[in-house]
Amino acid sequence: KRGCRGRKTPFQRGFPPPASKQMVLIAMSGGVDSSVAAYLVKKSGEDAVGATLKLFSNDDIQLDRTKTCCSLSDVEDARSVALRLGIPYYVFNFGENFREQVIGRFIDTYERGGTPNPCIDCNRFIKFRQLLDRAELMGCSHIATGHYARCEYDEASGRWRLLRSADPDKDQTYVLWALTQEQLSHTLFPLGGLNKSEVRAIAAEQGFLNADKPDSQDICFVPDGDYAKFIEGYTGKKSLPGKFIDTSGKVLGEHKGIIHYTLGQRKRLGISLGHRACVTAIDPESNTVTLGDEPDLYTSRLVAHDINLIAYPEITAPMRVEAKTRYRHKAAPATLTQTGPDELTLVFDEPQRAITRGQSVVIYEGDVVVGGGIIA
């Protein structure tokens, strides 16, 4: 058993069942996680429908699309699982919205000297907005995804809560902080109470051909990790060179353009200073990149805008929390204050490294996600 939820049925392993038997639209990427999510929904007795999202074309990303997620091979993997489960399967083209809401925001943030997280924007504007709209048109009551997270309704507060998954190594609540109450009320997370090894074991038991398929690690539309090359190829314009400066303003040399750098970066700077240096600031107004030492990267305070609160409608008094400023960072103790209708301020107990404009801060109270925002 896993805590009070046990392991009796899929719906006791991390997500609430619909009030009565209804149809669930399952986002199927072709990977093992979403495939097992589809199996658990079907096993629970719900009517299930599978769907893969076509988000971009070869021309959009200027790369061989067979090497990215949601490629033709991924579609075939998802289709084979749907066929094995005996559920209907569709491919939805959300390319136009993806270009505007995800790729466009990605480029804009880099051009303004920040570092974006497009996976969060994809969840926020595509998977949990466009897909829910499509589900409603199809007569589905819920969508289900292969994210490692839990969702439950809290009777005391009258609010839906997002909680960390049972597997701390796979927890994906960081990329789900923007989900609204309405979206959470129509979303199922079948994998919330499982760990990765259990998921792969279920896939193998069911004979899924993707049981051993590796997890996707890169941003789907930049599979080689060269963000600057992608931006220049997509926009058709070269990044404007500028000056490297030190923390006193002294010119150190010339950089290739601010989209080539992010806060905390040490490698591929293209300049030799005779000592180790890192990017400590990026200023799009002056087109300068500041290089400094490791201690220059640490700060205790951040301000976030474009906020979304889940556990509470508002923060009425300073509260003790833990917060993550990057997906792979460990949550750190802090004091949270809501300093405006769309502003959160966090003061950490200990200085944090490379708090970066454009990244998300996600706030926790134990396992419960309080909410989050974009670091400003």
PDB file of all heavy atoms in Angstrom, residues 21 50 53 62 85-86 111 114 199 203 221 224 250 260 267 273 334 339 357 360 372:
ATOM      1  N   LYS A  21     -19.605   6.739 -15.124  1.00  0.00           N
ATOM      2  CA  LYS A  21     -18.829   6.318 -16.280  1.00  0.00           C
ATOM      3  C   LYS A  21     -19.007   7.281 -17.436  1.00  0.00           C
ATOM      4  O   LYS A  21     -20.110   7.482 -17.926  1.00  0.00           O
ATOM      5  CB  LYS A  21     -19.229   4.905 -16.694  1.00  0.00           C
ATOM      6  CG  LYS A  21     -18.405   4.362 -17.853  1.00  0.00           C
ATOM      7  CD  LYS A  21     -18.728   2.924 -18.130  1.00  0.00           C
ATOM      8  CE  LYS A  21     -17.898   2.406 -19.290  1.00  0.00           C
ATOM      9  NZ  LYS A  21     -18.156   0.996 -19.582  1.00  0.00           N
ATOM     10  N   GLY A  50      -7.838   7.642 -27.410  1.00  0.00           N
ATOM     11  CA  GLY A  50      -6.454   8.083 -27.462  1.00  0.00           C
ATOM     12  C   GLY A  50      -6.251   9.180 -28.491  1.00  0.00           C
ATOM     13  O   GLY A  50      -6.931   9.217 -29.516  1.00  0.00           O
ATOM     14  N   LEU A  53      -0.861  14.649 -30.343  1.00  0.00           N
ATOM     15  CA  LEU A  53      -0.896  16.024 -30.797  1.00  0.00           C
ATOM     16  C   LEU A  53       0.225  16.262 -31.801  1.00  0.00           C
ATOM     17  O   LEU A  53       1.403  16.055 -31.490  1.00  0.00           O
ATOM     18  CB  LEU A  53      -0.733  16.987 -29.617  1.00  0.00           C
ATOM     19  CG  LEU A  53      -1.620  16.716 -28.398  1.00  0.00           C
ATOM     20  CD1 LEU A  53      -1.444  17.825 -27.373  1.00  0.00           C
ATOM     21  CD2 LEU A  53      -3.079  16.583 -28.795  1.00  0.00           C
ATOM     22  N   GLN A  62      13.044  23.105 -39.080  1.00  0.00           N
ATOM     23  CA  GLN A  62      14.249  23.028 -39.904  1.00  0.00           C
ATOM     24  C   GLN A  62      15.108  21.814 -39.549  1.00  0.00           C
ATOM     25  O   GLN A  62      16.329  21.855 -39.632  1.00  0.00           O
ATOM     26  CB  GLN A  62      15.093  24.307 -39.747  1.00  0.00           C
ATOM     27  CG  GLN A  62      14.337  25.593 -40.015  1.00  0.00           C
ATOM     28  CD  GLN A  62      13.946  25.740 -41.481  1.00  0.00           C
ATOM     29  OE1 GLN A  62      14.748  25.535 -42.350  1.00  0.00           O
ATOM     30  NE2 GLN A  62      12.702  26.099 -41.722  1.00  0.00           N
ATOM     31  N   LEU A  85      -5.243  -1.875 -26.988  1.00  0.00           N
ATOM     32  CA  LEU A  85      -6.238  -1.634 -25.938  1.00  0.00           C
ATOM     33  C   LEU A  85      -7.668  -1.647 -26.471  1.00  0.00           C
ATOM     34  O   LEU A  85      -8.623  -1.654 -25.683  1.00  0.00           O
ATOM     35  CB  LEU A  85      -5.958  -0.289 -25.254  1.00  0.00           C
ATOM     36  CG  LEU A  85      -4.666  -0.186 -24.451  1.00  0.00           C
ATOM     37  CD1 LEU A  85      -4.469   1.238 -23.936  1.00  0.00           C
ATOM     38  CD2 LEU A  85      -4.661  -1.177 -23.275  1.00  0.00           C
ATOM     39  N   GLY A  86      -7.804  -1.573 -27.790  1.00  0.00           N
ATOM     40  CA  GLY A  86      -9.131  -1.559 -28.387  1.00  0.00           C
ATOM     41  C   GLY A  86      -9.868  -0.253 -28.193  1.00  0.00           C
ATOM     42  O   GLY A  86     -11.082  -0.231 -27.995  1.00  0.00           O
ATOM     43  N   GLU A 111      15.267  36.431 -26.672  1.00  0.00           N
ATOM     44  CA  GLU A 111      15.635  37.728 -27.239  1.00  0.00           C
ATOM     45  C   GLU A 111      15.572  38.842 -26.205  1.00  0.00           C
ATOM     46  O   GLU A 111      16.205  39.887 -26.379  1.00  0.00           O
ATOM     47  CB  GLU A 111      14.736  38.052 -28.429  1.00  0.00           C
ATOM     48  CG  GLU A 111      15.002  37.162 -29.638  1.00  0.00           C
ATOM     49  CD  GLU A 111      14.125  37.485 -30.833  1.00  0.00           C
ATOM     50  OE1 GLU A 111      13.028  38.063 -30.624  1.00  0.00           O
ATOM     51  OE2 GLU A 111      14.516  37.166 -31.958  1.00  0.00           O
ATOM     52  N   GLY A 114      16.131  36.420 -21.245  1.00  0.00           N
ATOM     53  CA  GLY A 114      15.705  35.421 -20.272  1.00  0.00           C
ATOM     54  C   GLY A 114      15.977  34.011 -20.761  1.00  0.00           C
ATOM     55  O   GLY A 114      16.557  33.801 -21.826  1.00  0.00           O
ATOM     56  N   VAL A 199       5.742   1.329 -13.825  1.00  0.00           N
ATOM     57  CA  VAL A 199       5.130   1.686 -15.103  1.00  0.00           C
ATOM     58  C   VAL A 199       5.710   0.829 -16.226  1.00  0.00           C
ATOM     59  O   VAL A 199       4.972   0.289 -17.063  1.00  0.00           O
ATOM     60  CB  VAL A 199       5.334   3.188 -15.393  1.00  0.00           C
ATOM     61  CG1 VAL A 199       4.949   3.527 -16.836  1.00  0.00           C
ATOM     62  CG2 VAL A 199       4.504   4.028 -14.423  1.00  0.00           C
ATOM     63  N   ALA A 203       3.803  -1.979 -18.655  1.00  0.00           N
ATOM     64  CA  ALA A 203       3.891  -1.930 -20.118  1.00  0.00           C
ATOM     65  C   ALA A 203       4.386  -3.260 -20.675  1.00  0.00           C
ATOM     66  O   ALA A 203       3.889  -3.751 -21.703  1.00  0.00           O
ATOM     67  CB  ALA A 203       4.807  -0.787 -20.543  1.00  0.00           C
ATOM     68  N   PHE A 221      11.202  20.559 -30.054  1.00  0.00           N
ATOM     69  CA  PHE A 221      11.472  21.195 -31.336  1.00  0.00           C
ATOM     70  C   PHE A 221      12.936  21.642 -31.475  1.00  0.00           C
ATOM     71  O   PHE A 221      13.302  22.231 -32.496  1.00  0.00           O
ATOM     72  CB  PHE A 221      10.521  22.373 -31.578  1.00  0.00           C
ATOM     73  CG  PHE A 221      10.522  23.424 -30.497  1.00  0.00           C
ATOM     74  CD1 PHE A 221      11.378  24.504 -30.541  1.00  0.00           C
ATOM     75  CD2 PHE A 221       9.627  23.333 -29.431  1.00  0.00           C
ATOM     76  CE1 PHE A 221      11.376  25.469 -29.555  1.00  0.00           C
ATOM     77  CE2 PHE A 221       9.610  24.310 -28.434  1.00  0.00           C
ATOM     78  CZ  PHE A 221      10.492  25.373 -28.499  1.00  0.00           C
ATOM     79  N   ASP A 224      18.587  18.826 -30.810  1.00  0.00           N
ATOM     80  CA  ASP A 224      20.041  18.818 -30.676  1.00  0.00           C
ATOM     81  C   ASP A 224      20.533  19.780 -29.596  1.00  0.00           C
ATOM     82  O   ASP A 224      21.726  19.884 -29.336  1.00  0.00           O
ATOM     83  CB  ASP A 224      20.719  19.153 -32.009  1.00  0.00           C
ATOM     84  CG  ASP A 224      20.383  20.556 -32.517  1.00  0.00           C
ATOM     85  OD1 ASP A 224      19.551  21.248 -31.882  1.00  0.00           O
ATOM     86  OD2 ASP A 224      20.950  20.955 -33.553  1.00  0.00           O
ATOM     87  N   LYS A 250      33.655  47.030 -17.142  1.00  0.00           N
ATOM     88  CA  LYS A 250      34.816  47.013 -18.035  1.00  0.00           C
ATOM     89  C   LYS A 250      34.575  46.047 -19.189  1.00  0.00           C
ATOM     90  O   LYS A 250      34.121  44.920 -18.995  1.00  0.00           O
ATOM     91  CB  LYS A 250      36.054  46.600 -17.258  1.00  0.00           C
ATOM     92  CG  LYS A 250      37.316  46.486 -18.106  1.00  0.00           C
ATOM     93  CD  LYS A 250      38.485  45.968 -17.286  1.00  0.00           C
ATOM     94  CE  LYS A 250      39.718  45.745 -18.149  1.00  0.00           C
ATOM     95  NZ  LYS A 250      40.853  45.189 -17.353  1.00  0.00           N
ATOM     96  N   HIS A 260      22.741  33.320 -27.261  1.00  0.00           N
ATOM     97  CA  HIS A 260      23.704  32.231 -27.094  1.00  0.00           C
ATOM     98  C   HIS A 260      24.032  31.964 -25.625  1.00  0.00           C
ATOM     99  O   HIS A 260      24.804  31.040 -25.341  1.00  0.00           O
ATOM    100  CB  HIS A 260      25.007  32.555 -27.834  1.00  0.00           C
ATOM    101  CG  HIS A 260      24.885  32.541 -29.324  1.00  0.00           C
ATOM    102  ND1 HIS A 260      25.168  31.438 -30.093  1.00  0.00           N
ATOM    103  CD2 HIS A 260      24.486  33.517 -30.192  1.00  0.00           C
ATOM    104  CE1 HIS A 260      24.966  31.714 -31.369  1.00  0.00           C
ATOM    105  NE2 HIS A 260      24.560  32.974 -31.458  1.00  0.00           N
ATOM    106  N   LYS A 267      30.454  27.230 -19.996  1.00  0.00           N
ATOM    107  CA  LYS A 267      31.078  26.676 -21.185  1.00  0.00           C
ATOM    108  C   LYS A 267      30.629  27.425 -22.442  1.00  0.00           C
ATOM    109  O   LYS A 267      29.609  28.106 -22.460  1.00  0.00           O
ATOM    110  CB  LYS A 267      30.743  25.188 -21.310  1.00  0.00           C
ATOM    111  CG  LYS A 267      31.250  24.347 -20.146  1.00  0.00           C
ATOM    112  CD  LYS A 267      30.855  22.884 -20.320  1.00  0.00           C
ATOM    113  CE  LYS A 267      31.370  22.038 -19.162  1.00  0.00           C
ATOM    114  NZ  LYS A 267      30.984  20.613 -19.300  1.00  0.00           N
ATOM    115  N   LEU A 273      39.754  34.339 -20.369  1.00  0.00           N
ATOM    116  CA  LEU A 273      40.072  35.385 -19.394  1.00  0.00           C
ATOM    117  C   LEU A 273      41.210  34.992 -18.473  1.00  0.00           C
ATOM    118  O   LEU A 273      41.626  35.776 -17.619  1.00  0.00           O
ATOM    119  CB  LEU A 273      38.829  35.701 -18.562  1.00  0.00           C
ATOM    120  CG  LEU A 273      37.601  36.220 -19.330  1.00  0.00           C
ATOM    121  CD1 LEU A 273      36.423  36.383 -18.383  1.00  0.00           C
ATOM    122  CD2 LEU A 273      37.925  37.530 -20.024  1.00  0.00           C
ATOM    123  N   ALA A 334      11.724  28.930   2.103  1.00  0.00           N
ATOM    124  CA  ALA A 334      11.591  30.357   1.802  1.00  0.00           C
ATOM    125  C   ALA A 334      10.342  30.904   2.478  1.00  0.00           C
ATOM    126  O   ALA A 334       9.492  30.151   2.973  1.00  0.00           O
ATOM    127  CB  ALA A 334      11.513  30.578   0.291  1.00  0.00           C
ATOM    128  N   THR A 339       2.631  40.150  -3.154  1.00  0.00           N
ATOM    129  CA  THR A 339       2.878  41.593  -3.100  1.00  0.00           C
ATOM    130  C   THR A 339       2.091  42.362  -4.152  1.00  0.00           C
ATOM    131  O   THR A 339       2.327  43.552  -4.350  1.00  0.00           O
ATOM    132  CB  THR A 339       4.382  41.863  -3.269  1.00  0.00           C
ATOM    133  OG1 THR A 339       4.913  41.068  -4.330  1.00  0.00           O
ATOM    134  CG2 THR A 339       5.131  41.519  -1.987  1.00  0.00           C
ATOM    135  N   ARG A 357      15.610  34.976 -14.973  1.00  0.00           N
ATOM    136  CA  ARG A 357      14.415  35.584 -15.571  1.00  0.00           C
ATOM    137  C   ARG A 357      13.872  34.688 -16.691  1.00  0.00           C
ATOM    138  O   ARG A 357      14.625  34.210 -17.537  1.00  0.00           O
ATOM    139  CB  ARG A 357      14.758  36.966 -16.109  1.00  0.00           C
ATOM    140  CG  ARG A 357      13.565  37.745 -16.618  1.00  0.00           C
ATOM    141  CD  ARG A 357      13.905  39.206 -16.868  1.00  0.00           C
ATOM    142  NE  ARG A 357      14.873  39.379 -17.941  1.00  0.00           N
ATOM    143  CZ  ARG A 357      16.112  39.758 -17.774  1.00  0.00           C
ATOM    144  NH1 ARG A 357      16.585  39.980 -16.558  1.00  0.00           N
ATOM    145  NH2 ARG A 357      16.926  39.902 -18.806  1.00  0.00           N
ATOM    146  N   SER A 360      10.445  29.361 -14.343  1.00  0.00           N
ATOM    147  CA  SER A 360       9.325  29.332 -13.411  1.00  0.00           C
ATOM    148  C   SER A 360       9.806  29.083 -11.992  1.00  0.00           C
ATOM    149  O   SER A 360      10.787  28.362 -11.782  1.00  0.00           O
ATOM    150  CB  SER A 360       8.337  28.230 -13.801  1.00  0.00           C
ATOM    151  OG  SER A 360       7.675  28.545 -14.998  1.00  0.00           O
ATOM    152  N   GLY A 372       2.579  28.998  -8.610  1.00  0.00           N
ATOM    153  CA  GLY A 372       3.838  29.356  -9.240  1.00  0.00           C
ATOM    154  C   GLY A 372       3.721  30.624 -10.056  1.00  0.00           C
ATOM    155  O   GLY A 372       2.681  31.294 -10.065  1.00  0.00           O
TER     156      GLY A 372
END
